[in-house]
Amino acid sequence: MMKGYAVYCDADRHFYDAPYRLSEDADSGRGGAPYDAALAPVPEGWHRHRSGDWLALRPVDHRLPAQGWKIHVSATLGNAESVLARVSEYCLTRSIAFKFVPSRYLLHTRNAKYADRAASGKFITVYPADDEQFRVIAEDLAELLAGEPGPYILSDLRWGEGPVYVRYGSFTRRHCYDDKGELCPAIEDADGRLVPDPRGPAFRIPEWVTPPDCLRPHLEARSAVTVTEIPYTIEQALHFSNGGGVYIARDRATGEKVVLKEGRPHAGLAADGADAVARLRREQTALERLSGLPCTPEVRGTFVLGDHHFLAMEFLEGKPLNTFFARRHPLIEADPTPERLAEYTHWALRVYRLVEEAVAAVHSRGVVFNDLHLFNIMVSEDESAVALLDFEAAAHIDEGRRQTVANPAFVAPADRRGFAVDRYALACLRLALFIPLTSLFALDRKKARHLAEITAEQFPVDREFLDEAVDEILDGTGLGRSAAPYLPVAPGDWPRSRDSMAAAVLASATPDREDRYFPGDIAQFAAAGGGLTFGYGTAGVLYALAETGAPPCPAAEEWLLRQTKEPESGTPIGFYDGLAGVAWTLDRLGHSERAVELAELTLRRPWEDIAPDLHGGLAGVGLALDALATATGEAKLHDAALRCAELVAAATPRLTRAGLLYGASGAALLLVRLYERTGDSALLDRAAEALRQDLARCVRSAGGTLQVDEGWRTMPYLGAGSAGIGMVLDDYLAHRTDAQFEEARREIVQAAQATFYAQPGLFRGAAGMVLYLSRTTTPGPGTAPADVRRQIDALARHAVPYQGHLAFPGEQMMRLSMDLATGTAGCLLALGSAATDGHAQLPFLPPLRRPMSRPQPGVVTAHRPHEREEPS
């Protein structure tokens, strides 16, 4: 699970949305009313401004310095109102600018277990006018708030022993590009250049900044805390959450290998408000009650370092159950044999029984696990036994405690208590062992019966085993027992599926909002203008509707025109995440004047530090500008595209990622398209170099598939995997022969043959494989109609109804998405490509003539190999 997504689930039942939107609705009863300071009238001579989670106040005639030493104040849920009242009065009476988190709900989400560790604890920010005022304010607030508890702010230096922290950074909204070419907050260095403002979960002073003398004792106090005195030697950090880390260590006295679990006070909050330290104590209590069971680790000891608490536990050899899918699951193959399916079914049922027995043993001691899921089940190396890990949510049955920490794919309904919580998780496990898509139950629990039906069709598993799971999940409610099909239309039933998806997209529209028109990924809230963009916002949805022949949405076009009249400051210029993609789309929709205006904005931005990639970098900008030049006759945009190409070619060797969106393949795409316009063979030479760079970051599996190697996993997907590289290889090979490239694209086709992908999205899921296989000119097996159809049929596993229409979940599958990159619009484009013999395609990747005819319903083809056909 990507930790950032959970906090975007509370504000809307169906879609990801910004947490502050829930907190603004004080009447909902869920977000809770704002603090009194947020409701107070704006004092005369002051300006108030809302920005995301923050409410800022500053004197109207006050000009903040661009950067400097700023002060943060932390607080707990219990003392926040009091702390805010005192700090607010202090700042207002002294005309000091400040901002604060305006509600208990938002403070809770910022300090939750999976919140951003770098931002955790920051409740109030105070902006001094200079270093002297900084010292005075810090001393005053330390005295004013002495003794008040609050979470430690990891990005800052603590001032004394209270809740006051300081760091050097930007005061105003300025941006630059980091070493990955991504837009980020900026500060000026000693030479006046904008450089990234470091905001990680560790205190850092920019090398050109000399800390004032008043910080010396606090820096010394920070340096005095070390790990040399603890009874363990830390060897490896396994992972971190906002509540603390998990480490592998050795007992200095005995040499025993142990696991150390860290708890930060007042941080890593669960749904009931319990912090990481409280949950660490719960885990210790539960494990001591379970001592002696072979399926749970033994407690080895506890200690405190600074304010952080640690629990030492027995180290259990093995691997988490989720890792066995890559090893064993037959649906990672194109066409698993009945023997493979039967072998896996036997293994899965045996593992399930071991887990069921382990849970029963825990229950026999009166303990409710409360957090059973695939990552908390450890399977021994010989696969003969299992153990249960992570008991921080565990409770004795007599406590009747509700579930407060849970994996989204196994979280029980709110009315479940006690052993019923674990029974629900076991029921989810029965289905997840075969089709691990139980996170969809957060959208619709009736999906359980649909997944059971699909499982029964594909695996030789007793239907009663599955039906028992469905009954437990639905809790006898009768949900999903209708004889009618679960989905309103099958994804492959074109054009009915197109019409249904388009209806779902339009039904989701929020025309009264300023930040987005169609709901999509959380990227809509990550940067200015995110709701407008091609990848995650309105532009991409409108493109997908137009490209597949769905009805247009004039209201959304008008909305996009209004929002781009004066784009928000800080909006990126990239294709998928910014202005270039919006400009290109508006031109396609007939709004050329606005498109050129936005293109002019991209020309005025500095380009030297922008990455050369396709997603947010100069490859995408160059492609958009070149296309706009052709469409509008603006010759200077052609020149700008060639300048992009020069910068891209020079910077591509520094890319650290591979693939279409973030790797050298996106650069190669720009170079190929410019070669086609100019005839300059040097551009094609550079494209070949870029493609070889990406192929060098790929690995071949034992089965002969070629995938991008990310170190800890391999990726076949369209966005950051090998399928995207394959798309550009096809375009390059339309102009030159190359034996290495021919071999690579055949192996990439094989990588697109798996029968199961964890997500449906265009760039990180099954839809991307549909799009790729529908377009590729690769000869040989793997691209026949049956191969494409298999991937289309597999999309039904992910689909859920929305207002009676066909829709798809976004990243992490906890909420629906309507955008192009992650959601329904992307699936619409992919299915449209399959239905039109590759004519519906991504920008700058036009249909290619195929080496053999592959007709789809309603389409007749008669193409010659490697000849490009422009859409009619």
Side-chain angles (χ1 to χ4, degrees):
M1 179 184 69
M2 294 177 68
K3 298 172 184 177
Y5 280 81
V7 73
Y8 288 85
C9 291
D10 288 346
D12 192 280
R13 170 72 178 79
H14 298 286
F15 302 104
Y16 294 119
D17 208 344
Y20 65 82
R21 292 192 63 85
L22 175 58
S23 72
E24 288 174 344
D25 185 4
D27 297 327
S28 70
R30 295 186 300 159
Y35 293 124
D36 289 345
L39 299 173
V42 181
E44 185 177 352
W46 284 74
H47 173 75
R48 180 162 63 185
H49 173 67
R50 182 67 187 263
S51 178
D53 289 357
W54 294 98
L55 183 62
L57 287 93
R58 63 174 176 83
V60 172
D61 59 354
H62 181 63
R63 290 184 62 85
L64 286 174
Q67 61 195 52
W69 288 96
K70 54 184 165 183
I71 299 167
H72 288 120
V73 176
S74 70
T76 68
L77 298 179
N79 70 350
E81 184 93 62
S82 170
V83 167
L84 177 58
R86 282 176 278 170
V87 175
S88 176
E89 181 183 9
Y90 177 90
C91 291
L92 289 173
T93 58
R94 292 165 177 79
S95 296
I96 300 169
F98 69 106
K99 68 179 181 180
F100 59 93
V101 176
S103 74
R104 175 187 173 93
Y105 168 75
L106 285 176
L107 182 60
H108 191 160
T109 61
R110 291 180 71 85
N111 291 326
K113 180 176 180 179
Y114 292 119
D116 177 13
R117 296 173 67 232
S120 175
K122 296 175 183 176
F123 175 43
I124 305 170
T125 306
V126 181
Y127 297 98
D130 51 40
D131 282 3
E132 177 57 25
Q133 190 182 47
F134 161 70
R135 179 190 63 78
V136 172
I137 295 173
E139 289 176 348
D140 288 350
L141 292 182
E143 182 178 353
L144 184 66
L145 303 174
E148 291 288 356
Y152 196 104
I153 300 176
L154 296 173
S155 63
D156 287 23
L157 173 67
R158 190 176 192 177
W159 186 289
E161 300 297 325
V164 177
Y165 295 80
V166 302
R167 70 177 290 267
Y168 187 93
S170 179
F171 284 18
T172 58
R173 292 186 65 179
R174 296 183 297 174
H175 296 85
C176 69
Y177 291 89
D178 61 17
D179 56 3
K180 296 181 180 178
E182 297 175 356
L183 204 64
C184 65
I187 55 177
E188 287 184 21
D189 66 11
D191 297 323
R193 295 181 301 112
L194 288 180
V195 297
D197 181 6
R199 298 189 177 188
F203 175 64
R204 291 175 55 192
I205 302 175
E207 59 184 16
W208 66 89
V209 173
T210 301
D213 290 341
C214 62
L215 291 184
R216 185 177 303 153
H218 310 292
L219 289 167
E220 291 172 352
R222 181 177 183 273
S223 300
V225 179
T226 69
V227 298
T228 57
E229 301 303 319
I230 67 173
Y232 301 94
T233 301
I234 295 175
E235 296 182 342
Q236 180 185 354
L238 294 178
H239 64 83
F240 292 95
S241 74
N242 191 32
V246 179
Y247 312 89
I248 294 177
R250 294 275 180 185
D251 187 310
R252 295 181 191 272
T254 67
E256 181 189 8
K257 193 175 185 179
V258 299
V259 171
L260 296 182
K261 192 167 185 178
E262 177 187 20
R264 297 177 56 222
H266 314 302
L269 304 182
D272 62 351
D275 68 3
V277 174
R279 294 200 311 279
L280 206 64
R281 294 193 186 106
R282 291 175 182 175
E283 181 159 17
Q284 179 182 355
T285 299
L287 290 178
E288 288 173 348
R289 186 173 280 127
L290 299 170
S291 180
L293 292 181
C295 59
T296 59
E298 297 289 335
V299 171
R300 294 298 190 232
T302 63
F303 64 92
V304 179
L305 177 65
D307 290 336
H308 295 206
H309 293 241
F310 290 82
L311 174 66
M313 295 171 286
E314 175 188 8
F315 180 88
L316 299 178
E317 297 287 350
K319 289 183 172 57
L321 179 54
N322 69 294
T323 64
F324 284 85
F325 284 99
R327 288 186 184 183
R328 286 187 165 272
H329 206 289
L331 296 188
I332 63 174
E333 303 170 11
D335 190 18
T337 64
E339 292 76 17
R340 279 280 289 119
L341 294 168
E343 177 190 12
Y344 177 81
T345 300
H346 176 76
W347 178 87
L349 293 176
R350 182 174 62 81
V351 168
Y352 174 79
R353 296 304 179 194
L354 290 173
V355 175
E356 193 175 49
E357 291 167 4
V359 172
V362 169
H363 287 181
S364 71
R365 300 281 182 95
V367 175
V368 182
F369 190 9
N370 264 335
D371 193 20
L372 179 73
H373 58 81
L374 294 170
F375 295 81
N376 282 354
I377 300 167
M378 183 71 76
V379 181
S380 64
E381 292 292 348
D382 63 2
E383 302 182 15
S384 65
V386 301
L388 306 180
L389 307 176
D390 202 357
F391 279 80
E392 65 179 49
H396 192 273
I397 184 63
D398 294 342
E399 296 180 48
R401 191 185 301 149
R402 68 185 179 96
Q403 198 172 24
T404 59
V405 175
N407 182 284
F410 289 77
V411 61
D415 60 350
R416 307 291 173 97
R417 292 287 192 279
F419 296 146
V421 172
D422 291 347
R423 287 197 299 269
Y424 180 91
L426 283 168
C428 289
L429 182 62
R430 290 192 184 201
L431 300 178
L433 280 167
F434 295 95
I435 301 181
L437 298 177
T438 55
S439 56
L440 294 172
F441 300 167
L443 285 165
D444 184 7
R445 275 196 284 156
K446 295 190 294 293
K447 184 69 177 180
R449 192 167 300 282
H450 188 223
L451 292 183
E453 291 169 356
I454 295 172
T455 299
E457 292 173 358
Q458 295 186 315
F459 293 90
V461 59
D462 186 352
R463 185 58 192 262
E464 183 178 357
F465 176 83
L466 302 173
D467 287 341
E468 288 173 356
V470 173
D471 289 342
E472 177 65 42
I473 291 166
L474 301 182
D475 194 27
T477 60
L479 293 171
R481 293 184 185 274
S482 170
Y486 173 73
L487 295 177
V489 58
D493 186 3
W494 191 271
R496 291 181 62 232
S497 60
R498 175 198 64 193
D499 298 339
S500 188
M501 285 183 282
V505 168
L506 296 178
S508 74
T510 56
D512 294 333
R513 289 180 59 159
E514 295 293 316
D515 58 340
R516 74 175 189 201
Y517 195 93
F518 299 109
D521 190 68
I522 67 173
Q524 291 186 331
F525 311 105
L532 286 63
T533 59
F534 192 87
Y536 313 101
T538 307
V541 173
L542 291 175
Y543 172 79
L545 293 173
E547 193 77 353
T548 56
C553 184
E557 290 185 37
E558 290 299 321
W559 182 92
L560 192 58
L561 287 169
R562 287 197 305 274
Q563 299 303 320
T564 54
K565 188 174 183 179
E566 293 184 9
E568 186 177 356
S569 175
T571 301
I573 69 170
F575 189 87
Y576 281 94
D577 68 346
L579 296 175
V582 177
W584 183 87
T585 305
L586 286 172
D587 179 70
R588 296 268 295 194
L589 297 173
H591 306 290
S592 298
E593 183 177 348
R594 178 59 51 78
V596 172
E597 291 173 1
L598 294 180
E600 293 280 358
L601 284 179
T602 68
L603 296 180
R604 292 199 290 268
R605 297 277 187 88
W607 287 1
E608 283 70 19
D609 295 326
I610 303 177
D613 64 48
L614 176 64
H615 180 269
L618 288 179
V621 172
L623 284 161
L625 294 178
D626 202 57
L628 285 170
T630 299
T632 64
E634 293 280 344
K636 67 179 178 180
L637 298 183
H638 275 317
D639 295 337
L642 290 172
R643 180 183 167 220
C644 279
E646 291 298 322
L647 293 170
V648 163
T652 295
R654 298 196 299 270
L655 284 170
T656 58
R657 300 179 66 180
L660 179 65
L661 291 186
Y662 306 102
S665 293
L669 180 61
L670 169 65
L671 297 167
V672 169
R673 295 285 90 95
L674 289 178
Y675 160 75
E676 291 169 346
R677 181 173 64 79
T678 66
D680 183 355
S681 61
L683 291 167
L684 207 56
D685 295 338
R686 291 175 173 178
E689 293 172 6
L691 287 167
R692 294 188 206 284
Q693 176 176 316
D694 265 6
L695 290 176
R697 290 191 169 95
C698 294
V699 291
R700 290 177 177 83
S701 71
T705 68
L706 193 67
Q707 300 188 37
V708 170
D709 182 7
E710 292 193 338
W712 60 286
R713 64 180 177 181
T714 58
M715 297 286 281
Y717 299 120
L718 186 64
S722 54
I725 301 173
M727 293 276 274
V728 186
L729 286 174
D730 286 338
D731 287 71
Y732 178 90
L733 289 168
H735 301 289
R736 281 183 185 168
T737 60
D738 187 293
Q740 178 194 359
F741 290 174
E742 287 286 1
E743 180 183 7
R745 68 173 181 162
R746 284 193 294 269
E747 295 171 329
I748 290 171
V749 164
Q750 295 310 305
Q753 300 300 303
T755 320
F756 176 82
Y757 296 100
Q759 300 189 130
L762 186 64
F763 289 135
R764 281 170 51 88
M769 301 311 179
V770 173
L771 188 84
Y772 167 60
L773 293 176
S774 300
R775 179 183 188 265
T776 184
T777 55
T778 305
T783 62
D787 299 301
V788 180
R789 172 60 61 176
R790 183 173 59 247
Q791 299 294 14
I792 292 173
D793 292 342
L795 274 172
R797 300 177 184 136
H798 304 87
V800 294
Y802 174 68
Q803 296 192 16
H805 310 298
L806 183 65
F808 289 89
E811 283 284 322
Q812 306 304 300
M813 299 190 300
M814 292 184 281
R815 291 293 184 268
L816 297 174
S817 170
M818 296 301 172
D819 70 29
L820 184 109
T822 72
T824 304
C827 294
L828 170 63
L829 183 68
L831 292 170
S833 181
T836 61
D837 200 25
H839 279 66
Q841 273 300 331
L842 285 171
F844 321 118
L845 286 160
L848 298 172
R849 293 192 184 275
R850 309 187 194 287
M852 60 182 176
S853 177
R854 297 185 298 183
Q856 299 293 330
V859 178
V860 178
T861 60
H863 300 322
R864 289 178 295 164
H866 303 312
E867 290 187 355
R868 180 168 291 102
E869 174 182 296
E870 297 300 328
S872 59

